[in-house]
Amino acid sequence: MYRDISKKQLETTVALLQQGGLVALPTETVYGLAADASNEHAVSKIFKAKGRPSNHPVIVHVGSIDQLNQWAKDIPDYALKLAKTFWPGPMTLILKKQKSVLDAITGGQDSVGIRIPSNPIMQKVLQRFDGGLAAPSANRFGHISPSSARHVKQSLGDNVDLIIDGGPTSIGIESTIIDCTGNHPRILRHGMITENDIEKAAGLTILKNTSDAPRVSGALKSHYSPVTKTFLANAQDITKHLQDNRSIVVLSRSKPNVNKVIIHDARIPTRSTQYQGKQHWIIMPNDAQAYAHSLYEQLHFADNLACDALLIEEVPNTMRWKGINDRLKKASA
Ligand code: TXA
Ligand code: MG
């Protein structure tokens, strides 16, 4: 359920950020670990808290499009079209950076990632803060991204000054990252905005990814990983593992065809915490948007079951599922 921020919480949040503190805040994609993007010391604390290599760039979140020129320059027309179409929303643009942008933000590159998030709490904070907030996903480096305040607490604990609970995030997976430093847009990380929609909004075709792509930690082969050994599987693999009586948890869009497994339904938020037996089956939504929305919650849940293996049943190989497919591949790499 969506939760708003109280007036007092908002004041505390903004004051902490102004003093160089770290605040975990909800966005519509995943929770972000926010700090003042123009305060070098504050930004360095993000890397420490996450255990993230210092040469990985972070996204700067701003409240409105008027602030774009403070961070980026030589913004191509097509990037402005994308901005006007998808912001506020789950999209990050990589643009040529202004001189003043800290190296800690860009990882020493001459580009900067910018996003205007739509989550109302994040929007309120940005309006009141009136500056840029550096915010990577609020999880330890390499762990599953947080789609709820509880996940942040589990992953970062006391390494953050304050966690604002805005309920589960609506989109559920990270923003689509589009490199706009060339003549054509290029997708660096898929999210829930489709290639068709991007081409339509930009009025240009998307450039295929090449190896000189800027550094994106989300582009590392293994990322978003559960601790449990995770595999992408088809229906036959899953049946076989069930028959072998292995301790497994299955993430699937269909119902199990055996009756010995403990069934959890991702579409029903409350469930029993009494588990017996060693085979679990999590029924995932059929629709891509609903699947993305519950993916990280279910991965966290599955991981906490501490089975010997997590089997994720393959999802459709279509454009709408690209961002999800990408996360599943990384979770199982
Ligand atoms: O949805 C999201 O994008 C979330 C929410 C909190 O906004 N943030 C997020 O941040 O996913 P993070 O740091 O976990 O992933 C951002 C990605 C990283 O892989 C980083 O390398 C890439 O963006 N990135 C940031 N600035 C970049 C730049 N100048 N060039 C290339 N990649 C960049
Ligand atoms: Mg991340």
Side-chain angles (χ1 to χ4, degrees):
M1 194 75 72
Y2 169 72
R3 257 182 251 170
D4 202 359
I5 189 171
S6 71
K7 229 178 143 200
K8 194 160 160 242
Q9 268 183 323
L10 181 60
E11 296 310 315
T12 314
T13 299
V14 172
L16 274 169
L17 292 168
Q18 282 165 345
Q19 291 154 21
L22 290 186
V23 184
L25 290 163
T27 84
E28 67 278 23
T29 56
V30 297
Y31 275 70
L33 183 58
D36 181 351
S38 51
N39 177 336
E40 189 153 17
H41 181 62
V43 175
S44 74
K45 288 202 244 169
I46 294 180
F47 289 87
K48 217 166 141 209
K50 274 185 67 89
R52 178 176 180 162
S54 59
N55 61 348
H56 283 262
V58 289
I59 297 169
V60 177
H61 298 70
V62 297
S64 72
I65 229 162
D66 334 322
Q67 283 171 279
L68 211 51
N69 292 320
Q70 291 172 28
W71 301 91
K73 61 174 188 186
D74 307 335
I75 303 168
D77 244 14
Y78 74 83
L80 284 176
K81 288 182 186 162
L82 289 172
K84 282 177 190 149
T85 309
F86 298 114
W87 277 345
M91 174 187 74
T92 298
L93 298 183
I94 306 297
L95 299 163
K96 291 207 176 111
K97 73 165 192 104
Q98 286 285 9
K99 225 185 184 135
S100 56
V101 184
L102 297 170
D103 273 349
I105 296 283
T106 65
Q109 304 178 94
D110 53 11
S111 61
V112 60
I114 311 273
R115 177 160 112 77
I116 302 181
S118 66
N119 177 284
I121 292 179
M122 188 66 172
Q123 270 290 336
K124 278 185 196 171
V125 172
L126 284 166
Q127 299 306 334
R128 280 281 284 106
F129 180 74
D130 197 26
L133 289 177
S137 53
N139 54 284
R140 294 280 303 170
F141 184 66
H143 286 189
I144 308 167
S145 293
S147 58
S148 78
R150 182 168 40 85
H151 300 155
V152 179
K153 180 89 189 136
Q154 261 183 26
S155 190
L156 293 175
D158 297 332
N159 288 342
V160 8
D161 295 313
L162 177 66
I163 300 173
I164 297 295
D165 188 350
T169 61
S170 58
I171 305 273
I173 65 171
E174 299 87 343
S175 61
T176 305
I177 302 183
I178 309 172
D179 176 10
C180 298
T181 58
N183 293 333
H184 280 248
R186 184 167 58 153
I187 300 182
L188 299 184
R189 179 176 73 187
H190 286 277
M192 290 310 282
I193 301 175
T194 65
E195 290 168 318
N196 273 352
D197 290 343
I198 292 167
E199 291 190 332
K200 205 167 131 204
L204 289 171
T205 53
I206 291 169
L207 209 72
K208 285 275 165 275
N209 238 328
T210 53
S211 55
D212 66 337
R215 258 192 311 266
V216 187
S217 58
L220 294 177
K221 220 165 167 208
S222 161
H223 207 63
Y224 321 111
S225 309
V227 176
T228 311
K229 271 208 173 89
T230 304
F231 306 91
L232 270 180
N234 58 33
Q236 288 99 308
D237 299 333
I238 292 169
T239 308
K240 173 133 194 354
H241 275 82
L242 286 172
Q243 282 164 353
D244 292 350
N245 207 23
R246 300 251 172 86
S247 148
I248 58 169
V249 45
V250 175
L251 226 72
S252 164
R253 290 178 306 138
S254 38
K255 293 196 175 116
N257 52 12
V258 291
N259 53 21
K260 299 183 307 195
V261 297
I262 300 159
I263 299 176
H264 315 277
D265 195 328
R267 299 159 303 179
I268 303 166
T270 50
R271 47 189 152 194
S272 150
T273 46
Q274 281 298 309
Y275 303 120
Q276 272 147 15
K278 52 180 186 177
Q279 298 194 322
H280 299 263
W281 187 289
I282 300 173
I283 303 174
M284 291 296 286
N286 236 317
D287 160 73
Q289 233 133 49
Y291 192 106
H293 170 73
S294 55
L295 177 61
Y296 289 148
E297 170 65 25
Q298 299 315 319
L299 286 181
H300 278 99
F301 176 74
D303 213 14
N304 286 339
L305 292 173
C307 294
D308 290 344
L310 163 59
L311 302 187
I312 306 177
E313 187 165 13
E314 290 157 349
V315 297
N317 204 0
T318 58
M319 204 181 274
R320 287 167 57 74
W321 288 83
K322 213 151 183 173
I324 295 166
N325 258 310
D326 196 58
R327 302 308 184 283
L328 298 186
K329 279 190 195 114
K330 278 166 189 154
S332 59

